[in-house]
Amino acid sequence: ILNVEQSPQSLHVQEGDSTNFTCSFPSSNFYALHWYRWETAKSPEALFVMTLNGDEKKKGRISATLNTKEGYSYLYIKGSQPEDSATYLCAAGGSQGNLIFGKGTKLSVKP
Amino acid sequence: SQTIHQWPATLVQPVGSPLSLECTVEGTSNPNLYWYRQAAGRGLQLLFYSVGIGQISSEVPQNLSASRPQDRQFILSSKKLLLSDSGFYLCAWRSAGTHIAVTEAFFGQGTRLTVV
């Protein structure tokens, strides 16, 4: 059974701050690591899907890195804005079709 | 374009009553289908997933069951609800294929279930 851990559980930052949070996953039998953003009253939406060790992906002010050898991924947000407030979920994708999520990091950005 | 429909949006049910939540996907064929639950203060837990009609994989033992009577229909059921079944239920789909691990998931709007 895949076990995905995220930290911190919650984070409060000021507008303009840069921040990052961590996702840990089993490094053995790794296939893919997903990041999703879940805003209040909306459905989770995919940000990135990453597979290669050392991979880095970017979407606007948000970027993510992947280390498959040690089993972690970082999500970075540069210059946080109030609209970035959401729960950020990571998930490990298995070869059999399962997709296991961590508990998420709830980010609150104060204006 | 593909769309996913999940209903009802909210549900209040007494303990011991049955449950049926339905999810349908349009605009794609042979999707992988998923049921997740977020209990209060907890993360998104995978309950069931299906890679084809009649094929159901259960991630955790529980008071719930799932069925896939048609290609794009996924149903979550219970014969007798428990208080611990309360939570936010999300249906999701992913494209099938040999690279399933890298395909992103698309989620429905969710059902807020309160068992009283």
Side-chain angles (χ1 to χ4, degrees):
Chain A
I1 296 178
L2 294 171
N3 188 31
V4 179
E5 303 284 344
Q6 289 188 249
S7 63
Q9 185 175 350
S10 63
L11 199 52
H12 298 265
V13 302
Q14 289 293 133
E15 181 176 355
D17 288 350
S18 293
T19 187
N20 66 85
F21 20 93
T22 308
C23 173
S24 301
F25 53 88
S27 56
S28 59
N29 294 320
F30 172 82
Y31 290 93
L33 193 284
H34 299 227
W35 280 101
Y36 290 78
R37 175 167 58 199
W38 192 0
E39 298 178 67
T40 302
K42 294 186 177 181
S43 304
E45 292 185 347
L47 289 171
F48 308 112
V49 181
M50 308 168 76
T51 58
L52 300 176
N53 184 48
D55 203 5
E56 181 171 349
K57 295 207 170 181
K58 189 175 181 180
K59 184 181 291 188
R61 293 178 290 98
I62 303 176
S63 60
T65 61
L66 180 67
N67 184 322
T68 61
K69 296 187 184 300
E70 297 183 37
Y72 64 83
S73 174
Y74 292 136
L75 188 79
Y76 300 91
I77 302 179
K78 184 178 179 181
S80 302
Q81 299 297 307
E83 58 265 31
D84 295 328
S85 297
T87 296
Y88 291 83
L89 300 165
C90 72
S95 63
Q96 301 304 309
N98 53 343
L99 185 63
I100 305 298
F101 283 84
K103 294 183 178 180
T105 293
K106 186 173 183 179
L107 174 67
S108 298
V109 183
K110 293 184 179 179
Chain B
S1 64
Q2 301 89 359
T3 56
I4 179 169
H5 303 280
Q6 185 182 342
W7 67 92
T10 60
L11 194 58
V12 179
Q13 291 284 97
V15 168
S17 64
L19 173 74
S20 181
L21 302 181
E22 189 164 343
C23 173
T24 60
V25 180
E26 296 177 357
T28 187
S29 58
N30 194 32
N32 284 13
L33 297 171
Y34 302 78
W35 278 112
Y36 288 90
R37 175 175 63 197
Q38 184 187 40
R42 304 188 67 178
L44 208 54
Q45 182 185 34
L46 178 60
L47 302 176
F48 301 96
Y49 68 100
S50 171
V51 299
I53 296 175
Q55 296 180 314
I56 307 292
S57 296
S58 174
E59 285 292 301
V60 292
Q62 57 217 316
N63 184 42
L64 302 167
S65 62
S67 61
R68 184 171 178 173
Q70 300 181 43
D71 181 42
R72 290 169 289 174
Q73 184 184 30
F74 205 25
I75 297 173
L76 184 69
S77 304
S78 174
K79 292 182 179 178
K80 290 185 178 182
L81 284 169
L82 306 172
L83 287 174
S84 56
D85 292 323
S86 293
F88 189 67
Y89 289 80
L90 276 169
C91 179
W93 75 272
R94 298 166 75 194
S95 295
T98 55
H99 303 291
I100 180 60
V102 304
T103 60
E104 65 182 87
F106 298 90
F107 289 84
Q109 294 298 309
T111 297
R112 174 75 59 190
L113 172 66
T114 304
V115 182
V116 295

